Amino acid sequence: MSDSQNELSPEHQVEAARKAFEQEFERFARFTAGDLEAAVTEERALADLRTRHLGKKSALAATKKLIGRVAPEGRAAFGQLVQSTEAALVQSLDQAEQSLKDYIQNERTARESIDVTLPGRRPRFGHRHPITLLREKLEDVFVALGYAIEDDREIETDFYNFTALNIPENHPARGWQDTFYTTDGFALRSQTSTVQIHAMQRRGVPVRMIAPGRVFRRDTPDPTHNPMFFQVEGLCVDRGITMAHLKGTVAEFLRRMFGPDTVTRFRPSYFPFTEPSAEFDFSCFKCKGSGCRICKNSGWIELGGSGMVHPNVLRTVGVDPQEYSGFAFGLGIDRMCALMYELDDIRLLFENDVRFLGQFE
Ligand code: DAH
């Protein structure tokens, strides 16, 4: 091939190089970009074309070495021919490249642009868990009555969970509160009553506090039991505190929770850490005492335990029972929650099904 080309005159060789370029370039001159990917491919092909026709190894570059074969009087004209041919090629390539670049740029901008007139996507707000909602309501009531809120540990020693609460070793009360023990003598607390001890040790007396929190018991889950549940503990210790203060406080709490007509009653009971002890019930918030499904037709709903703090408990934390007295109470938050929302199964509260939880905002 090169032999036959060599036979062409230098001027013809320049002409041949130009023609060869134009043949290949034709499709770029006609290219009206239709899509971005095609344009990007064309841009690369164009760069390749530039190298092949203007690069050091191109046919046009080779013609520059032929100047010696041109007659001296024609050399200036030949030089100009090579230069102008080269300039024409460069111009064609530059133009085609620029229009491809413009097209690609516009296309990319169009793809990335945001349609500000489209309706936005509304962010989904979370909401509080029904137990949290109830706990907060209950905290509001007690804060208004002058109580502090204590948040204490869920892992306890035997001392806080039992001994300090007047439940000695081998006491049968330890049996029904059998909880989850670790190998190093710790246990998950089985009642929030533990916080009575921590609070008095930390704050001294007089003290007025409630302590909402998780408790744990070895239980097989069923519609009314779960091995983890929530309680709120209350404690008030001062000079001259009597059972009348206990009754007044619990009654006021329940009126604020369930309405001004709510009636409270106390039944004698037994707890190791209180003496005397009582359980308290309130008139059914649904039927107002006439009997319905929620109160199992009794008109009353059992809610919690209470009593006057046992002198042994006070002595354990260094408080003189001759000088101070107090009352305490405890109730189950989830039980209360299940009652208020008429849940058939307490476990619904812990399954974290958003279709269920989303109903309590
Ligand atoms: N801790 C008891 C329980 O888990 C509830 C309780 C009863 C708490 C009487 C008290 C109380 O503070 O005085 O069943």
Side-chain angles (χ1 to χ4, degrees), residues 158 162-163 167-172 174:
D158 211 64
F162 297 118
T163 316
I167 313 174
E169 242 171 276
N170 304 320
H171 191 286
R174 290 196 180 207

Side-chain angles (χ1 to χ4, degrees), residues 93-105:
L93 282 163
D94 284 354
Q95 265 173 15
E97 190 183 86
Q98 192 57 50
S99 58
L100 272 171
K101 276 211 163 83
D102 290 347
Y103 173 81
I104 290 167
Q105 173 75 39

Side-chain angles (χ1 to χ4, degrees), residues 99-125:
S99 58
L100 272 171
K101 276 211 163 83
D102 290 347
Y103 173 81
I104 290 167
Q105 173 75 39
N106 289 341
E107 201 63 10
R108 285 200 173 134
T109 314
R111 278 195 193 184
E112 283 161 18
S113 67
I114 299 163
D115 183 352
V116 290
T117 64
L118 279 176
R121 257 182 240 140
R122 200 178 281 276
R124 268 187 60 194
F125 285 106

Side-chain angles (χ1 to χ4, degrees), residues 302-323:
E302 296 179 12
L303 197 60
S306 65
M308 300 308 290
V309 181
H310 197 287
N312 286 350
V313 174
L314 293 175
R315 269 185 221 110
T316 301
V317 291
V319 173
D320 181 1
Q322 298 297 328
E323 194 183 349

Side-chain angles (χ1 to χ4, degrees), residues 18-33:
R18 188 178 61 77
K19 279 212 173 113
F21 167 79
E22 272 166 6
Q23 234 175 29
E24 273 199 67
F25 180 72
E26 198 194 9
R27 74 166 223 259
F28 292 96
R30 280 189 288 115
F31 180 77
T32 45

